[in-house]
Amino acid sequence: PVVRKRLKLVFLPNYCITQSEKVIPATDLSQQISTAGLEASGTGNMKFGMNGALTLGTLDGANIEMREQIGEDNFFIFGLTAEEVRQLRKQGYDPYHYVRQDPELHDVLESLNSGLFSPDQPDLFRPILNALLEGGDRFMLLADYRSYVDAQDKVSQVYENASEWTRLSILNVAAMGYFSSDRAIAEYARDIWKTRPLNKV
């Protein structure tokens, strides 16, 4: 929600099923931002999708399966692919390269460094900066930054068109039927457990 023209960020401590029952149906956009090949997105994004939320995410984990069913036009993709992550790591990843070539990213990091968001604790975000720059940015967040921002711009453009957002949401829900637990369990039974259903008595 927006409060006084600012985005309101809410942290839910001890996130659980009871909370998710309220949050998931109310969600417009599910963000699945794990770095491709390093930290696969789980199936929680499917719950959001089944309840009408569109997805912004990397090509990783369950996102790949969802995109295949939903279609590229109904999915906001950003970031490196798993193969690109492997190649970049092999070549030698330099986080400073992305800071030097993107003035906006430089300004964002400088804002964190200056204590702009935490004037009472100017060093509050220093550990994040150290992890990104001196620590080598293990999850290559800086490499994905520009792609993420561009994807968010696309999300904003679509969201401003309420009828288009609604259309995509409906298509999203319809396509998510493939992920029914009935189908998944039947496939597991057949392909993995090698069992057959019993005849009803």
Side-chain angles (χ1 to χ4, degrees):
V2 177
V3 178
R4 296 183 189 152
K5 298 184 179 179
R6 296 176 189 269
L7 182 66
K8 180 180 179 183
L9 179 64
V10 180
F11 173 72
L12 300 175
N14 302 318
Y15 183 70
C16 61
I17 296 297
T18 302
Q19 291 181 350
S20 70
E21 288 173 345
K22 297 180 177 74
V23 172
I24 291 175
T27 300
D28 291 319
L29 181 70
S30 167
Q31 298 194 56
Q32 305 295 325
I33 57 177
S34 56
T35 304
L38 296 183
E39 186 184 6
S41 64
T43 57
N45 51 352
M46 293 178 177
K47 297 182 182 107
F48 285 100
M50 288 177 180
N51 281 272
L54 301 185
T55 305
L56 167 71
T58 55
L59 274 176
D60 197 34
N63 289 345
I64 296 172
E65 297 176 70
M66 285 178 60
R67 186 171 178 247
E68 288 173 356
Q69 297 301 318
I70 295 169
E72 293 180 18
D73 294 338
N74 295 348
F75 207 99
F76 301 100
I77 284 293
F78 79 93
L80 301 169
T81 65
E83 180 56 32
E84 288 170 338
V85 168
R86 281 191 290 272
Q87 288 298 324
L88 190 53
R89 196 172 296 289
K90 187 176 179 182
Q91 294 166 9
Y93 175 67
D94 176 16
Y96 283 98
H97 166 75
Y98 299 93
V99 179
R100 286 192 297 267
Q101 73 176 14
D102 192 329
E104 181 184 273
L105 175 58
H106 175 274
D107 291 346
V108 167
L109 296 179
E110 186 53 40
S111 295
L112 291 175
N113 187 49
S114 70
L116 176 67
F117 303 110
S118 55
D120 294 335
Q121 293 178 273
D123 295 335
L124 181 64
F125 296 111
R126 199 63 48 80
I128 295 175
L129 290 168
N130 290 340
L132 290 173
L133 299 173
E134 307 309 323
D137 186 15
R138 178 173 175 240
F139 291 99
M140 299 185 175
L141 302 179
L142 301 184
D144 278 352
Y145 174 82
R146 177 50 46 196
S147 178
Y148 175 76
V149 170
D150 292 343
Q152 281 284 9
D153 287 342
K154 290 179 185 174
V155 168
S156 296
Q157 290 170 12
V158 177
Y159 192 73
E160 288 176 359
N161 184 338
S163 61
E164 177 62 6
W165 188 275
T166 301
R167 185 183 75 83
L168 293 179
S169 179
I170 292 169
L171 290 173
N172 197 78
V173 172
M176 288 298 293
Y178 173 80
F179 298 106
S180 158
S181 58
D182 290 341
R183 180 203 57 80
I185 291 170
E187 285 188 6
Y188 266 72
R190 184 189 68 228
D191 301 334
I192 297 173
W193 302 323
K194 307 298 182 189
T195 60
R196 292 179 301 169
L198 295 172
N199 292 327
K200 291 183 179 179
V201 178

